[in-house]
């Protein structure tokens, strides 16, 4: 008789955002007249920029012509896109990253889950707490942790690095030495950032203890302050210890189009084995590449016109972030984030639990956010609001919350 991967049974409940959707749908069905404003999931609301639409249409026309039709994409992605990425995201920032160290994919969420496949099951994993759930859940599914401990809200065998108000929601080096460290800055969910000097300390630490950093830079386009690094490769010797994940979802609105990439430098090794070679083997075996038309759209992101149009979109969402941050602060809430990230992290009032505040917000203000406890034990008592809604709905939602 067949058996199942019993590691899946260690996971409590369903995926965080699936649970939220079920609760919202249940409320909506019982209150069909309610206008629900969604500031929960980090999905964009602005349409694709004109430069991207133009590139999509042109690529679609190419697919209709025998001379320009394309089939399977190259394993790493088309060279035109990887070269654009290497030049604009790295070399223009002084980072030594080559086009053949970039692997194009259909998004950072998939890569952040799939990257763990190239590592042994005996690796000790360190994550921030609160944390983007995919980092934890995919390692649980693979069997790198023990069981879920409902008393602590954590998995046995996982190293948690608390990110609290006392340390500005920035992790400190763990007491137990990890093998793989997941970092995300600007951070999801807290919106926190670290300086280039602080990130260099993490790079030095990883190189010293022989760890790998999985660095999620999905929100780097939202950085507004100068001393905040856009890439971990701005740090000395990061090529020896870091893999970086990027997404086109948040900077270019590709949540429904799907495009991302992962950088694995050739200097990153385990003994004599290059992690670049392992990821290339995994990529070539299990993935057939992002569509040609989507990769052409990605190329348009780096055109001068595309960059100007996307900066305007990022500014639009950051204006929303400012509305949320200032509105809730003036209403007496304790808030952080929202300056270099499209998320505002607020403390729930009156020591209310995260899910109780979720219910209160939904039922009294018809506003949806994300309970902090869904991101980990140290997220309890906090709540995440997203700036990816429309400006009009964002203003309306903040006004409703302030009146509660």
């Amino acid at each position: 008789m067949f058996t199942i991967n019993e590691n899946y049974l260690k996971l409590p409940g369903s995926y965080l955002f699936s649970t939220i959707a079920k609760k919202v749908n249940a409320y909506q069905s019982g209150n069909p007249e309610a206008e629900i404003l969604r500031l929960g999931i980090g999905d964009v609301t602005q349409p694709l920029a004109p430069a991207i639409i133009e590139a999509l249409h042109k690529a679609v026309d190419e697919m209709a012509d025998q001379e320009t039709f394309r089939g399977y994409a190259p394993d790493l992605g088309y060279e035109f896109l990887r070269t654009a990425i290497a030049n604009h995201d790295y070399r223009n920032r002084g980072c030594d990253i080559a086009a053949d160290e970039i692997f194009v994919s259909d998004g950072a969420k998939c890569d952040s889950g799939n990257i763990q496949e190239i590592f042994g099951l005996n690796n000790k994993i360190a994550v921030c707490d609160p944390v983007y759930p995919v980092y934890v859940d995919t390692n649980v599914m693979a069997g790198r942790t023990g069981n879920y401990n409902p008393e602590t809200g954590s998995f046995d065998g996982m190293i948690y690095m608390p990110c609290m108000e006392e340390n500005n929601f920035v992790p400190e080096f763990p007491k137990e030495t990890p093998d793989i460290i997941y970092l995300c800055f600007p951070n999801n969910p807290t919106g926190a950032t670290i300086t280039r000097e602080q990130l260099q300390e993490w790079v030095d630490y990883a190189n010293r203890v022989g760890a790998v950093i999985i660095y999620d830079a999905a929100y780097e386009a939202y950085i507004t302050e100068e001393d905040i690094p856009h890439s971990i490769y701005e740090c000395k010797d990061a090529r020896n210890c870091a893999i970086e994940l990027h997404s086109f979802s948040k900077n270019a609105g590709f949540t429904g189009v799907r495009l991302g990439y992962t950088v694995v430098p050739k200097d990153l090794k385990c003994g004599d084995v290059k992690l670049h070679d392992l990821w290339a083997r995994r990529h070539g075996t299990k993935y057939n590449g992002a569509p040609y038309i989507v990769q052409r759209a990605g190329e348009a992101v780096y055109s001068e016109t595309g960059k100007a149009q996307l900066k305007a979109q990022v500014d639009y969402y950051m204006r929303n972030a400012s509305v949320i941050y200032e509105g809730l602060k003036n209403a007496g809430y304790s808030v952080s984030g929202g300056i270099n990230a499209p998320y505002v992290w607020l403390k729930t009032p009156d020591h209310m639990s995260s899910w109780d505040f979720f219910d209160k917000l939904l039922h009294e203000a018809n506003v949806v956010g994300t309970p902090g406890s869904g991101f980990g034990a140290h997220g309890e008592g906090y709540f995440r609001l997203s700036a990816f809604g429309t400006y009009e709905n964002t203003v309306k939602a903040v006004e409703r919350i302030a009146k509660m």
Side-chain angles (χ1 to χ4, degrees):
M1 181 178 178
F2 69 87
T3 61
I4 61 170
N5 180 353
E6 295 190 1
N7 292 306
Y8 276 69
L9 304 181
K10 298 176 183 177
L11 295 167
S14 59
Y15 184 59
L16 170 62
F17 296 105
S18 299
T19 302
I20 290 173
K22 290 176 183 176
K23 289 175 75 74
V24 174
N25 290 339
Y27 178 80
Q28 184 77 83
S29 64
N31 301 271
E33 77 292 345
E35 179 195 29
I36 297 178
L37 304 178
R38 301 170 189 266
L39 302 185
I41 192 169
D43 196 1
V44 296
T45 53
Q46 295 303 292
L48 294 173
I52 294 170
I53 292 295
E54 182 181 350
L56 282 168
H57 281 300
K58 182 179 178 181
V60 168
D61 289 340
E62 289 181 36
M63 296 296 279
D65 189 316
Q66 181 69 45
E67 298 299 320
T68 53
F69 172 79
R70 307 291 182 106
Y72 288 124
D75 282 356
L76 272 67
Y78 285 100
E79 186 175 352
F80 61 77
L81 177 56
R82 291 185 289 107
T83 297
I85 292 169
N87 289 337
H88 291 275
D89 287 348
Y90 294 103
R91 295 191 180 279
N92 287 356
R93 291 174 177 153
C95 304
D96 181 22
I97 295 297
D100 64 356
E101 295 176 313
I102 296 166
F103 297 79
V104 176
S105 72
D106 58 359
K109 179 180 180 179
C110 295
D111 284 354
S112 64
N114 292 332
I115 195 69
Q116 51 83 21
E117 287 190 26
I118 67 174
F119 296 101
L121 294 181
N122 59 338
N123 284 289
K124 296 290 291 186
I125 309 298
V127 296
C128 296
D129 185 5
V131 63
Y132 180 46
V134 174
Y135 309 154
V136 174
D137 290 1
T138 53
N139 279 286
V140 173
M141 292 171 179
R144 289 192 184 86
T145 72
N147 292 321
Y148 181 73
N149 188 330
E151 293 184 5
T152 62
S154 59
F155 285 92
D156 297 333
M158 180 80 72
I159 300 173
Y160 291 90
M161 302 180 292
C163 297
M164 305 171 290
E165 186 176 8
E166 302 89 88
N167 58 10
N168 295 315
F169 305 104
V170 173
E172 299 170 357
F173 298 140
K175 295 178 181 178
E176 183 181 358
T177 303
D179 300 303
I180 300 172
I181 305 165
Y182 284 80
L183 295 177
C184 173
F185 291 105
N187 185 257
N188 176 20
T190 67
T193 54
I194 56 176
T195 66
R196 188 173 290 102
E197 182 180 0
Q198 287 174 306
L199 186 54
Q200 183 66 62
E201 291 176 358
W202 277 99
V203 169
D204 293 342
Y205 171 80
N207 279 319
R208 186 167 64 250
V209 303
V212 171
I213 296 174
I214 309 296
Y215 192 77
D216 189 344
Y219 299 94
E220 62 83 19
Y222 293 85
I223 293 172
T224 62
E225 298 176 320
E226 289 188 5
D227 194 35
I228 307 300
H230 289 257
S231 167
I232 196 169
Y233 301 117
E234 294 176 36
C235 297
K236 184 176 180 292
D237 296 328
R239 286 179 55 88
N240 299 319
C241 69
I243 292 171
E244 186 164 280
L245 312 175
H246 269 259
S247 170
F248 285 75
S249 290
K250 304 307 193 289
N251 68 322
F254 278 38
T255 54
V257 178
R258 307 310 306 146
L259 190 66
Y261 67 86
T262 290
V263 179
V264 186
K266 294 182 180 179
D267 295 346
L268 182 52
K269 299 179 180 179
C270 178
D272 295 328
V273 178
K274 293 182 179 179
L275 269 61
H276 179 278
D277 295 344
L278 298 183
W279 187 238
R281 186 68 171 88
R282 192 267 173 206
H283 212 61
T285 301
K286 292 192 173 185
Y287 185 61
N288 265 338
Y292 171 73
I293 60 174
V294 173
Q295 294 197 46
R296 279 298 186 192
E299 180 187 31
V301 167
Y302 298 100
S303 68
E304 290 306 312
T305 302
K307 286 192 286 188
Q309 292 170 353
L310 294 179
K311 183 181 184 305
Q313 285 197 353
V314 168
D315 289 345
Y316 177 94
Y317 293 128
M318 289 308 289
R319 181 188 181 195
N320 289 350
S322 180
V323 167
I324 298 170
Y325 183 95
E326 295 297 334
L328 295 185
K329 184 178 179 181
N330 292 337
Y333 286 88
S334 174
V335 293
S336 59
I339 296 173
N340 295 293
Y343 297 121
V344 173
W345 189 242
L346 64 103
K347 185 180 290 187
T348 59
D350 303 322
H351 303 288
M352 189 178 297
S353 77
S354 297
W355 280 106
D356 283 347
F357 187 68
F358 173 90
D359 291 335
K360 182 180 178 66
L361 213 59
L362 177 61
H363 289 258
E364 295 184 16
N366 293 161
V367 173
V368 178
T370 309
S373 59
F375 298 102
H378 285 90
E380 180 55 85
Y382 288 89
F383 205 77
R384 192 192 77 173
L385 291 175
S386 164
F388 286 120
T390 65
Y391 176 73
E392 294 75 16
N393 282 349
T394 301
V395 170
K396 193 184 299 184
V398 170
E399 289 175 347
R400 290 184 187 179
I401 297 171
K403 292 177 181 178
M404 282 174 40

